[in-house]
Amino acid sequence: MEASENSAIQTYTSNSFEEIVRQGGDFDWYLNVNRAKNCQYLVCCSSVGSNRGCNFLVGKISGVEFSKLDDKEKKRYVVRISEVAAINVSDRWGGYQNPVHYTNITDMGIDLSALKWQKVATPEQSLPAVLDLTIAQAKAGLAHHYGVPESNIEIEIIIKG
């Protein structure tokens, strides 16, 4: 199956513009992997706050990758992007029951030629050279990586020095 021109995935996400750029994509979705891999664009619609229902980001999809298993062993995925553009279009969520909607950029009224694209660093490129990590950050990171609640992470530390 080939990607159709201007095909898109619209996500109803609580992730912010900054988080999506930092992570290199919108993450932790249940989706049809084959269908998602054939889309060209990611359009993110806010599910939270005063911008709820507004499209705020368009990204050029560079891939779809396994992210983690949830509590019921169902696979979740991250939609990776290589370039991103900020937009602000009100009332663009159609009330779909599923927070992942397959659509078309043109049908959404987005003019790709008017967007100002910027490159997105891969997550590996955006890591700091030296990590200064707190216990709380370590727990949050491990919980996210393993797909478990933070309350299920116990860290025992012995510091000598």
Side-chain angles (χ1 to χ4, degrees):
M1 181 188 302
E2 268 185 43
S4 63
E5 189 174 333
N6 296 326
S7 58
I9 300 170
Q10 182 186 32
T11 58
Y12 194 52
T13 185
S14 62
N15 298 322
S16 69
F17 185 93
E18 294 77 17
E19 286 175 301
I20 293 167
V21 170
R22 185 176 58 251
Q23 295 286 335
D26 200 10
F27 44 95
D28 293 342
W29 296 106
Y30 299 113
L31 49 77
N32 179 325
V33 178
N34 292 328
R35 192 167 182 190
K37 284 183 177 179
N38 285 299
C39 289
Q40 295 178 313
Y41 298 97
L42 169 67
V43 178
C44 295
C45 183
S46 180
S47 66
V48 296
S50 61
N51 290 329
R52 187 180 179 121
C54 296
N55 285 342
F56 64 92
L57 176 150
V58 177
K60 293 182 180 179
I61 296 176
S62 59
V64 177
E65 300 171 1
F66 170 76
S67 173
K68 67 179 184 180
L69 292 175
D70 69 8
D71 302 355
K72 298 176 184 170
E73 301 295 310
K74 286 184 70 178
K75 291 182 178 180
R76 288 182 174 254
Y77 296 88
V78 58
V79 179
R80 293 274 178 220
I81 54 175
S82 58
E83 294 181 58
V84 66
I87 60 174
N88 185 8
V89 184
S90 300
D91 300 323
R92 292 309 301 173
W93 187 252
Y96 313 107
Q97 195 168 20
N98 188 336
V100 175
H101 176 67
Y102 300 93
T103 185
N104 184 293
I105 288 287
T106 307
D107 294 345
M108 297 179 76
I110 297 171
D111 179 4
L112 293 172
S113 65
L115 300 180
K116 292 184 170 116
W117 296 98
Q118 65 184 47
K119 293 281 186 194
V120 173
T122 61
E124 296 80 30
Q125 292 172 325
S126 62
L127 287 176
V130 177
L131 294 176
D132 187 11
L133 200 59
T134 66
I135 302 287
Q137 291 169 327
K139 284 181 75 168
L142 289 166
H144 177 76
H145 178 78
Y146 291 106
V148 299
E150 282 185 45
S151 59
N152 287 7
I153 303 292
E154 292 182 13
I155 298 175
E156 184 175 323
I157 297 180
I158 300 172
I159 300 174
K160 296 181 179 180

